Amino acid sequence: MLLIARRLLLGTALALSLPLAAQAQSPIVIKFSHVVSPDTPKGKGAQRFKELLEERSKGRVKVEVYPNSQLYKDKEELEALQLGSVQMLAPSLAKFGPLGVKEFEVFDLPFLFKDDAAFRNTTATLGLELFKKLDAKGITGLSYWDNGFHVMTANKPLHNLADFKGLKMRIQSSKVLDAQMRALGAIPQVMAFSELYQALQSGVVDGTEGTPSNIYTQKVFEVQKHITLSNHGHLAYAVVINKKFYEGLPADIRVVFDSSMRDATLYANAIAATENAMSLDKIKASGKSTVYTPTDAELLEWKKALMPVHKDMESRLGKATIDAAYKSAGFVAPK
Ligand code: LMR
């Protein structure tokens, strides 16, 4: 009798204490998946966010960063986010189309941004409006992180429009980038970032556009003999989180989460330009790729060929979206 009572008591005590003990011990886990190297503006931003949040939450949150498409590739990662298999991502703005939020592709319009400031002004205004569109998809937009301007690579020099004719160029999934490559006379091919190096090496595609930081860390420069510093497009990211997960975070954790995101954003955006400049220097030093700065006349030829893309994309992006981007970017059409 006594033994049974003691067992019952013990059992009750265990049942009461275990969940509490387990609660105290097991942190909230955030899986943050991305497709680039840890040694990039995005990779370093994600790592900084992890460090800040883990420290500020005093270990109550654990952020697991999975770089290099380790968990998911481009398209799969957005699906995984919606399903809650990962909690955070930072896809490029060119990758939200398949999710049904095509307006982010406005950031891909060729020669829209004259500098980083023009880009940041656009994310701070139109960008915040566009975040609202993610809500219906079960996603919350947190921040915009810069990478930098796109350059063009191939195994032949790319100076004039004629040089693009018939080249198979890898692009991200954006329809604006598809139209851009066609306007240059190339054949666009959508491909996951993780497949890029192999595709260039084996000749599945002839060239690509990208930032120096990605071209360096993915070793693209080892399989592409020519790089043209065209700065025709801009690459940046929306840091996003599963909405239900975010809203379910305890209030005090939300406070440190938000402050960590704010500071990681400042950090990522502060290092982006230097990271790209350093990558370009390393590419030049390798001697594997010839880096070419186009003349004003060559750039004007590119710009003239690409401006019709802005008009053609009105039906996809909406004229109001394009006008808003023009205004915040201070865009002036080339003459
Ligand atoms: C690309 O696919 O080229 C980029 O979006 C990769 C990245 O995340 O920087």
Side-chain angles (χ1 to χ4, degrees):
M1 218 15 216
L2 208 69
L3 203 70
I4 293 172
R6 265 183 62 192
R7 274 198 186 142
L8 270 174
L9 263 173
L10 238 153
T12 318
L14 267 177
L16 279 174
S17 63
L18 257 182
L20 278 179
Q23 245 183 36
Q25 277 161 15
S26 50
I28 298 168
V29 176
I30 297 180
K31 290 192 164 83
F32 187 160
S33 164
H34 68 80
V35 300
V36 294
S37 152
D39 206 12
T40 54
K42 174 160 67 180
K44 291 184 177 183
Q47 183 62 25
R48 176 62 65 99
F49 171 72
K50 167 190 168 69
E51 287 160 10
L52 290 174
L53 181 51
E54 289 182 352
E55 185 199 311
R56 291 179 189 176
S57 69
K58 301 193 171 39
R60 282 172 63 204
V61 182
K62 187 168 183 294
V63 182
E64 295 172 357
V65 181
Y66 297 93
N68 275 325
S69 309
Q70 241 170 55
L71 283 188
Y72 300 103
K73 297 201 259 180
D74 294 333
K75 192 167 174 290
E76 300 156 6
E77 68 172 11
L78 275 161
E79 288 159 8
L81 182 74
Q82 285 182 298
L83 291 170
S85 312
V86 289
Q87 287 68 44
M88 286 180 73
L89 308 172
S92 92
L93 305 178
K95 291 179 183 167
F96 285 86
L99 192 73
V101 191
K102 42 193 193 300
E103 289 86 349
F104 281 104
E105 292 175 8
V106 75
F107 290 95
D108 297 326
L109 286 175
F111 293 109
L112 170 62
F113 303 111
K114 57 180 177 306
D115 51 25
D116 287 329
F119 169 76
R120 286 197 192 167
N121 209 28
T122 311
T123 50
T125 48
L126 174 65
L128 294 186
E129 278 303 305
L130 294 184
F131 269 169
K132 294 184 192 153
K133 293 191 182 282
L134 293 176
D135 259 34
K137 308 289 173 189
I139 294 174
T140 300
L142 296 168
S143 278
Y144 287 95
W145 287 2
D146 289 5
N147 189 318
F149 282 90
H150 270 155
V151 301
M152 288 284 189
T153 79
N155 274 322
K156 61 186 273 198
L158 298 172
H159 297 188
N160 303 109
L161 278 191
D163 301 327
F164 283 93
K165 195 152 180 55
L167 279 190
K168 278 180 275 154
M169 300 292 282
R170 180 267 170 176
I171 55 162
Q172 306 174 78
S173 60
S174 162
K175 290 281 185 270
V176 173
L177 298 179
D178 181 286
Q180 167 199 276
M181 288 302 183
R182 287 180 200 283
L184 290 171
I187 304 158
Q189 196 150 326
V190 175
M191 186 178 286
F193 187 63
S194 53
E195 286 156 22
L196 176 60
Y197 177 84
Q198 193 77 42
L200 288 166
Q201 192 189 36
S202 61
V204 167
V205 287
D206 302 308
T208 188
E209 61 179 2
T211 59
S213 145
N214 277 345
I215 290 170
Y216 180 69
T217 52
Q218 295 300 314
K219 302 193 186 340
V220 165
F221 70 103
E222 291 183 0
V223 286
Q224 296 276 269
K225 292 197 179 69
H226 293 274
I227 297 179
T228 298
L229 302 181
S230 46
N231 296 333
H232 60 279
H234 193 274
L235 179 67
Y237 312 107
V239 187
V240 291
I241 187 165
N242 179 291
K243 185 172 188 285
K244 204 161 146 224
F245 176 83
Y246 182 58
E247 289 172 356
L249 287 174
D252 57 337
I253 294 290
R254 271 279 282 271
V255 172
V256 285
F257 181 100
D258 291 344
S259 79
S260 304
M261 180 46 56
R262 197 173 50 241
D263 291 345
T265 298
L266 289 173
Y267 169 75
N269 289 342
I271 63 167
T274 18
E275 288 285 320
N276 275 297
M278 279 177 351
S279 293
L280 191 60
D281 285 346
K282 288 184 202 152
I283 293 169
K284 283 179 182 164
S286 78
K288 295 200 165 152
S289 243
T290 305
V291 177
Y292 177 73
T293 305
T295 64
D296 287 348
E298 283 164 353
L299 276 181
L300 191 62
E301 189 198 13
W302 290 39
K303 285 179 185 167
K304 287 208 165 135
L306 289 170
M307 279 312 114
V309 171
H310 289 220
K311 190 89 193 134
D312 293 348
M313 285 296 120
E314 268 181 15
S315 55
R316 178 168 174 85
L317 307 173
K319 190 170 179 327
T321 308
I322 297 181
D323 285 346
Y326 278 2
K327 191 161 170 246
S328 46
F331 173 77
V332 182
K335 289 190 188 79

